[in-house]
Amino acid sequence: MKNNLVLTLLLIKSIFSFGQQTIDGDLKELFKAELKNEIISNAVLHVYSKSKGINIQLFENELNAEETVAANTPFYTASITKILTATAIGILNDRKRLSFNDTISKYLPDELLKGLHVFEGEEYSKKITIAHLLQHTSGLPDYFEDQTTNGTPNIISQLFIIPDKIWTPEAIIEFTKINMTPHFIPGKGYHYTDTEYLLLGLIIEKVSGLKLDAFFKQEIFKPLKMNHSYINLKSTPINETLPLMKFYASDTEISSLQSLSADWSGGGLVATTEDLIRFLEAFNKNKIVKNDTRLQMQNWEPETYGMDYGFGVRKVSFKKLMNQNTNLTVIGHSGSTASFLWYCPQTDTYVSGTLNQTEANKNALLMVFKILNLIQKKY
């Protein structure tokens, strides 16, 4: 009886070991196939599932032989930052320092708000709530990508026109008020905009009495041991960290631009895949915000076909988005540099990384789907 049990355990271990080797090889092939895309210079991928015993980190440096790139190299996360900013608001909500339904006029000065949201001749600036900002339902324009009303280049264009410019949140808000117009009355539509997350960053600073990067470090980075995370151009990581991975817009390297200071509470986070997965796992297990708060943050608003948006969190249904016969969904966020942080409940798997290329966003999401589809079939 004892010998039979030992043989059974050895057989199970052997099968698991073979499965692990197979998934390692398959993931490497998927990753290499994506890197054959000529616009991708470097990339990192991390696939983690505690329940399945998967913890695979892959990295590649195609064009920059002088650049050190390893699995623990920090990268520009872009709009993944929004999850942390929304979570910071959730922390303050849990502590009763604010409420999701509060109007933003309770926390922001009149001079900043005046003229912020004027739609069809009526001002709605003081009717915007924190929830509107979190879920992109305020109607405010996006200072990065929306067209201006007077031909002035939007800020994503100005990143390149004035690469050394240091932007302050107040200057960006003023730019938006002068050059752009809102899209709809607060609460009457959906429009993705970084302007809202800029305002949320200011609210966090006002309520907490800390700079945003200091709040992140005190309330999120230190408790979760996210030792390699920081806000670009604003702070430094807890531990000494490898240099930021270079990222690109087509063939132009943009990671060194000072004008990226415009990308703050909506997109300025730098982190490693390990730090990001640690964050999202803690978030899902209610270790950062309370369960009720997390569920509120996942009260979904339709974004586009196959995508829904909560409070700084996005949900993707691959069945709808890719017209595939699959039940796979992911919850997390992506960024404009083809960065991604997703959790798939169907496979209990976290996938994080970046292709460091603004033109590769669709490629990154397709790669994530292929990875999860592979894991679902093998397990």
Side-chain angles (χ1 to χ4, degrees):
M1 178 75 73
K2 185 177 180 180
N3 288 340
N4 287 341
L5 179 60
V6 171
L7 286 171
T8 301
L9 291 172
L10 287 172
L11 180 60
I12 291 171
K13 184 177 180 181
S14 171
I15 291 170
F16 178 79
S17 177
F18 176 75
Q20 183 67 36
Q21 291 173 8
T22 304
I23 196 73
D24 278 20
D26 289 343
L27 287 175
K28 285 177 183 176
E29 287 303 311
L30 269 175
F31 190 54
K32 284 182 179 179
E34 188 53 52
L35 292 174
K36 288 179 181 177
N37 188 328
E38 61 183 15
I39 65 172
I40 296 173
S41 301
N42 55 50
V44 61
L45 171 67
H46 192 166
V47 182
Y48 171 74
S49 173
K50 184 177 181 180
S51 62
K52 292 176 172 55
I54 299 171
N55 190 16
I56 300 167
Q57 291 177 278
L58 303 171
F59 58 95
E60 192 62 54
N61 186 18
E62 291 289 304
L63 297 182
N64 299 295
E66 79 283 0
E67 182 183 8
T68 301
V69 178
N72 63 341
T73 305
F75 61 94
Y76 198 76
T77 73
S79 282
I80 293 172
T81 310
K82 290 181 173 66
I83 307 182
L84 278 81
T85 297
T87 298
I89 292 289
I91 290 169
L92 294 171
N93 175 78
D94 283 347
R95 294 175 184 172
K96 302 190 185 307
R97 302 288 302 279
L98 53 72
S99 168
F100 292 139
N101 294 320
D102 286 344
T103 57
I104 64 174
S105 59
K106 187 173 179 179
Y107 307 103
L108 298 176
D110 288 344
E111 60 189 291
L112 186 75
L113 293 180
K114 186 177 180 181
L116 177 66
H117 192 306
V118 180
F119 183 74
E120 296 182 347
E122 186 172 346
E123 180 147 7
Y124 295 92
S125 305
K126 293 189 175 182
K127 295 183 179 179
I128 299 170
T129 66
I130 290 174
H132 288 147
L133 299 183
L134 288 165
Q135 200 159 35
H136 301 301
T137 57
S138 71
L140 289 171
D142 178 26
Y143 67 87
F144 262 123
E145 296 192 4
D146 280 1
Q147 294 299 309
T148 60
T149 56
N150 53 14
T152 301
N154 59 20
I155 290 183
I156 201 164
S157 299
Q158 295 203 35
L159 295 183
F160 303 94
I161 297 170
I162 320 173
D164 295 329
K165 183 176 177 63
I166 300 296
W167 289 92
T168 65
E170 291 79 8
I172 294 171
I173 295 300
E174 191 63 25
F175 175 91
T176 305
K177 289 195 284 189
I178 293 170
N179 299 292
M180 295 177 169
T181 57
H183 296 272
F184 49 80
I185 295 169
K188 299 298 183 182
Y190 178 93
H191 181 68
Y192 185 93
T193 165
D194 276 73
T195 308
E196 295 163 321
Y197 274 74
L198 199 72
L199 294 166
L200 287 168
L202 291 172
I203 290 171
I204 291 164
E205 291 191 338
K206 173 67 175 177
V207 174
S208 70
L210 297 171
K211 291 294 184 183
L212 180 69
D213 50 276
F215 186 90
F216 279 1
K217 185 175 286 188
Q218 176 178 298
E219 302 295 339
I220 299 176
F221 298 162
K222 284 184 177 179
L224 297 181
K225 294 182 170 57
M226 295 172 64
N227 294 330
H228 304 292
S229 299
Y230 60 97
I231 299 295
N232 187 45
L233 302 173
K234 296 288 185 182
S235 61
T236 56
I238 295 168
N239 288 351
E240 186 177 349
T241 303
L242 287 169
L244 171 69
M245 288 180 76
K246 293 180 179 179
F247 56 95
Y248 300 80
S250 188
D251 58 355
T252 302
E253 188 258 311
I254 59 175
S255 43
S256 59
L257 299 182
Q258 293 294 301
S259 52
L260 283 170
S261 53
D263 208 6
W264 177 52
S265 48
L269 175 71
V270 175
T272 62
T273 57
E274 192 172 75
D275 279 2
L276 290 175
I277 289 173
R278 187 178 288 121
F279 165 79
L280 191 54
E281 187 175 31
F283 177 82
N284 287 337
K285 293 181 177 180
N286 306 318
K287 292 182 178 180
I288 312 177
V289 296
K290 295 176 181 177
N291 183 61
D292 287 349
T293 298
R294 181 179 61 83
L295 293 177
Q296 275 187 273
M297 293 174 70
Q298 295 181 32
N299 181 22
W300 306 111
E301 173 81 13
E303 182 176 19
T304 187
Y305 191 73
M307 290 187 180
D308 299 289
Y309 207 92
F311 289 1
V313 189
R314 177 176 281 139
K315 180 173 71 171
V316 178
S317 166
F318 288 112
K319 182 175 183 178
K320 291 182 179 179
L321 188 69
M322 296 183 174
N323 194 27
Q324 296 276 346
N325 184 22
T326 178
N327 69 336
L328 292 172
T329 60
V330 288
I331 297 172
H333 219 291
S334 55
S336 61
T337 53
S339 57
F340 49 92
L341 172 63
W342 299 112
Y343 172 67
C344 175
Q346 290 79 21
T347 61
D348 187 30
T349 302
Y350 293 85
V351 185
S352 183
T354 183
L355 302 182
N356 281 321
Q357 173 55 255
T358 60
E359 296 186 2
N361 279 306
K362 290 181 180 178
N363 305 50
L365 190 56
L366 179 59
M367 182 180 70
V368 169
F369 170 68
K370 289 177 180 177
I371 289 167
L372 295 171
N373 194 44
L374 176 67
I375 290 171
Q376 189 176 53
K377 287 179 178 178
K378 285 189 173 293
Y379 290 85

